Amino acid sequence: MTNDDELNPVRLWREWIVKSEKMWSDAITDVMGNPQVSAGMGRTMQETLHLHRMFTESFAQYLSALNLPSRSDILDLSDRIGQLEDAVAAVSVDLREQRALLANAGVSADDKPAKKKPTRTKKPAVD
């Protein structure tokens, strides 16, 4: 190697990054391998989840008292709208198929049966 290669700042920086990453990785692996740390992290995670659930429930009650929808209400509404869109799409497909069948049979969709007046069964009273 030449003297220029030894003083290359990019190469020195890259070596420093690689060594630092290895040291941090080893340190974190040692810490996470400790059963006390793992148990403490598990307890902390459980407490955080419990706090989140409590906050979510109390905020939902607050929104309900203000007559405002919660996130779950909006998601439920979104699901219902999706179901309605699917149903409308299915009806639309059925109508297109019916029109195609009528067209193949030579019947126009605009052809309407002649309206027939209902027969009068009650005679008007004569004064």
Side-chain angles (χ1 to χ4, degrees), residues 44-87:
T44 302
M45 182 61 72
Q46 290 298 321
E47 291 171 5
T48 303
L49 290 173
H50 178 70
L51 180 64
H52 181 267
R53 188 175 355 162
M54 296 290 288
F55 177 77
T56 301
E57 289 173 2
S58 63
F59 202 72
Q61 290 174 352
Y62 177 72
L63 289 173
S64 177
L66 294 175
N67 200 24
L68 295 172
S70 67
R71 181 177 190 276
S72 62
D73 294 336
I74 298 294
L75 292 175
D76 290 343
L77 185 59
S78 175
D79 288 342
R80 288 181 184 173
I81 289 173
Q83 291 170 354
L84 287 173
E85 287 174 342
D86 292 344

Side-chain angles (χ1 to χ4, degrees), residues 17-38:
I17 291 290
V18 169
K19 288 178 185 176
S20 295
E21 186 179 62
K22 172 102 172 85
M23 287 175 23
W24 275 104
S25 177
D26 292 343
I28 290 174
T29 301
D30 290 342
V31 168
M32 295 304 290
N34 186 337
Q36 291 174 332
V37 172
S38 298

